[in-house]
Amino acid sequence: MFEDIKRTSEDCLTLCFPGVGSAFAKKNNQTSLIIAKNGKTILVDAGTTIPVALHQNGVPFLDFDHYFITHTHADHIGGLEELLLMSRYTRNGKKVSMIITDGFQDTLWNKSLRGGVEYSEAKLLRFSDVVEPVRPRWVKASPREMYEVDVDGIHLLIFRTKHIPGDAYEWESSYWSTGIVIDNKVMFTADTKFDPSIFSDIDPGGLDTIFHDCQLFDPGSVHASYNELKTLPDGLKERMYLTHYGDSFDKFNPKDDGFKGFAEQWKIYPF
């Protein structure tokens, strides 16, 4: 599977989802994204179920060129401790290349990873002992907090989203959570509440496709609900695949409601 993805990427930007499910999904694994271009790869998010999903489909967890984490919920970082320790102990201490800001690095390490990774056979490990950080650049004068980075010919625009807590009504008061735009072509929201201002802030008029997280029941307290997304203009919905959905997806027909459909696990999407 990995070779198929990389082969396709020799001609174009290529995306593939090892998982498209919600945090509690049992049918489609937790949502995670492979970005590939010119044979180079980025894994976006590594939730609890993702190491096994990758293994079952012949994709080596350690073989991505870079990794990017959108936020610290377990369905996005549950496999990350395994990744860091596997790299240290099976690749002679080779560090993982991770695209990450200074501020989020502190949160990810001190509030999530440190308890399981810090203690080693020889010394107390630091984040810098297991990760080679790639620092994105802050985008000045943007309508919301944004960063950008270029790695191996892949351009990522990283933008803040409005995810948690449930009573946060704007991204400024929300806990760190991000989405990305890839090569100015494709938007992946990762996790966000219903927030149409994302589209006006980032201007998706020229984007080919939007992959938007979707909760299949109401109310959408920390994710956009299906019924909320149905209210978006047709010009947005016709470019939108739904991700991060629950196991009752077979009761819905998103194409009938104007969407491109549900994103499919392990389908290769060329752009």
Side-chain angles (χ1 to χ4, degrees):
M1 189 72 201
F2 205 32
E3 293 307 313
D4 288 344
I5 294 168
K6 290 195 287 186
R7 190 179 305 112
T8 303
S9 80
E10 295 293 348
D11 298 318
C12 59
L13 173 68
T14 301
L15 305 184
C16 184
F17 290 85
V20 290
S22 69
F24 313 123
K26 300 298 182 286
K27 295 180 180 179
N28 287 306
N29 288 307
Q30 296 160 343
T31 295
S32 177
L33 172 62
I34 296 170
I35 302 170
K37 186 179 179 182
N38 297 324
K40 298 294 185 178
T41 57
I42 303 172
L43 180 66
V44 179
D45 289 337
T48 307
T49 66
I50 296 306
V52 172
L54 293 171
H55 174 75
Q56 290 175 339
N57 286 272
V59 180
F61 196 16
L62 293 176
D63 282 7
F64 293 93
D65 295 292
H66 308 281
Y67 299 80
F68 176 75
I69 302 299
T70 61
H71 65 292
T72 58
H73 276 156
D75 58 318
H76 297 261
I77 67 163
L80 196 52
E81 179 181 313
E82 176 183 340
L83 173 73
L84 300 181
L85 294 179
M86 280 179 64
S87 186
R88 177 173 174 79
Y89 294 114
T90 69
R91 298 198 302 180
N92 296 317
K94 183 177 180 180
K95 298 178 184 180
V96 168
S97 175
M98 186 180 297
I99 301 163
I100 190 167
T101 64
D102 281 305
F104 184 50
Q105 171 182 315
D106 181 68
T107 299
L108 181 63
W109 178 249
N110 288 307
K111 294 191 175 181
S112 295
L113 295 176
R114 185 176 178 181
V117 179
E118 180 179 49
Y119 287 92
S120 74
E121 75 294 342
K123 63 176 183 176
L124 293 181
L125 299 177
R126 300 164 296 176
F127 187 84
S128 59
D129 291 319
V130 290
V131 172
E132 189 68 48
V134 177
R135 299 297 188 204
R137 306 175 297 275
W138 174 49
V139 179
K140 298 180 180 179
S142 54
R144 64 174 65 206
E145 189 174 356
M146 296 185 191
Y147 302 83
E148 60 183 353
V149 66
D150 295 278
V151 289
D152 292 329
I154 302 170
H155 179 78
L156 297 184
L157 176 67
I158 302 161
F159 58 90
R160 289 280 304 278
T161 61
K162 182 175 66 173
H163 179 35
I164 55 171
D167 61 357
Y169 294 103
E170 62 284 313
W171 66 265
E172 293 95 332
S173 60
S174 297
Y175 190 72
W176 181 272
S177 183
T178 59
I180 54 176
V181 174
I182 309 153
D183 274 1
N184 301 310
K185 292 182 178 180
V186 183
M187 176 187 287
F188 172 58
T189 63
D191 287 8
T192 182
K193 288 188 279 191
F194 185 62
D195 184 10
S197 66
I198 284 178
F199 307 114
S200 57
D201 287 350
I202 299 173
D203 186 19
L207 297 181
D208 292 344
T209 303
I210 301 163
F211 291 94
H212 202 298
D213 61 311
C214 175
Q215 178 178 293
L216 297 180
F217 56 91
D218 294 308
S221 57
V222 297
H223 288 278
S225 75
Y226 186 91
N227 285 330
E228 287 174 321
L229 292 171
K230 279 173 59 177
T231 68
L232 290 172
D234 291 342
L236 284 172
K237 289 191 296 182
E238 66 189 12
R239 287 178 283 147
M240 185 176 291
Y241 287 101
L242 305 179
T243 63
H244 207 286
Y245 50 84
D247 288 345
S248 62
F249 64 92
D250 55 353
K251 299 178 182 178
F252 296 79
N253 194 331
K255 291 184 179 179
D256 285 351
D257 291 318
F259 300 103
K260 288 181 75 72
F262 286 122
E264 297 178 39
Q265 188 179 27
W266 292 114
K267 179 177 178 178
I268 294 177
Y269 293 91
F271 296 90

